[in-house]
């Protein structure tokens, strides 16, 4: 399994920010998601983000904001008896790298690879480096089972 910025995990995340109500809130959301060196989206794109998040999958899941615990991936990815590759954008401030480190530590056979100067969406923000990283990981031996972890495949 390859997880890119791992998904929803517990921590100090205000999930309400994923539902921006206006252009300014969308701008702040993308400032937290993207590397500081990445240009901000133009206003008309931010307006579309506002429209789409309210009625899209994130909006349906979070509006009204429920208890998000059932949707979090804490320890859930590790229930599968397969190695886990985790690719994380170093500059993601909404789901900081500590979330990826915790996810990797919880799983018996996981490897965390950090992409520098990328945010929450490295496949969009740094596509060439993301593709190269993914190809290297898929061509490398899988992550080894950690001491004390269950053997992969059991």
């Amino acid at each position: 399994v390859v997880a890119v910025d791992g998904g929803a995990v517990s921590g100090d995340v205000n999930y309400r920010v994923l539902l921006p109500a206006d252009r300014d809130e969308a701008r702040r959301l993308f400032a937290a998601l993207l590397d500081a060196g990445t240009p901000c989206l133009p206003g008309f794109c931010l307006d579309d983000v506002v429209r789409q998040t309210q009625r899209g999958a994130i909006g349906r899941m979070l509006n009204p904001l429920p208890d998000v615990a059932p949707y979090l991936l804490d320890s859930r990815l590790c229930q599968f008896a397969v190695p886990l590759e985790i690719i994380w954008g170093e500059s993601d401030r909404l789901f900081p790298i500590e979330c990826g480190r915790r996810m990797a530590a919880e799983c018996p056979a996981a490897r965390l690879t950090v992409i520098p100067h990328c945010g929450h969406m490295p496949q969009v923000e740094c596509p060439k480096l993301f593709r190269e990283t993914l190809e290297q990981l898929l061509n490398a031996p899988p992550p080894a089972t950690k001491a004390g972890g269950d053997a992969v495949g059991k």
Side-chain angles (χ1 to χ4, degrees):
V1 172
V2 177
V4 180
D5 266 75
V9 292
S10 60
D12 295 330
V13 176
N14 174 5
Y15 288 97
R16 178 58 63 196
V17 302
L18 297 174
L19 296 171
D22 57 37
R23 184 183 284 189
D24 288 335
E25 287 183 13
R27 186 173 284 114
R28 285 191 296 274
L29 170 61
F30 277 90
L33 290 173
L34 302 175
D35 183 77
T38 300
C40 185
L41 293 174
F44 71 92
C45 291
L46 295 171
D47 294 340
D48 194 48
V49 166
V50 171
R51 283 189 297 276
Q52 295 301 321
T53 56
Q54 297 300 320
R55 63 178 178 229
I58 291 173
R60 288 190 303 273
M61 182 177 79
L62 295 178
N63 208 0
L65 189 64
D67 173 18
V68 296
Y71 303 106
L72 299 179
L73 295 176
D74 296 285
S75 303
R76 291 189 179 157
L77 283 176
C78 304
Q79 294 173 359
F80 299 100
V82 296
L84 175 63
E85 295 284 3
I86 304 168
I87 301 174
W88 213 277
E90 177 184 51
S91 303
D92 186 348
R93 290 176 307 284
L94 186 61
F95 296 99
I97 191 66
E98 290 76 27
C99 295
R101 287 186 183 113
R102 192 176 68 239
M103 186 179 287
E106 290 177 355
C107 296
R111 176 174 33 220
L112 174 64
T113 302
V114 178
I115 298 182
H117 308 294
C118 269
H120 186 71
M121 300 173 286
Q123 69 276 23
V124 174
E125 196 174 348
C126 309
K128 183 175 188 270
L129 185 54
F130 173 78
R131 187 190 76 245
E132 291 168 358
T133 300
L134 182 59
E135 286 175 358
Q136 288 173 357
L137 293 174
L138 293 176
N139 287 314
T145 301
K146 297 175 189 119
D150 295 331
V152 174
K154 287 194 174 189

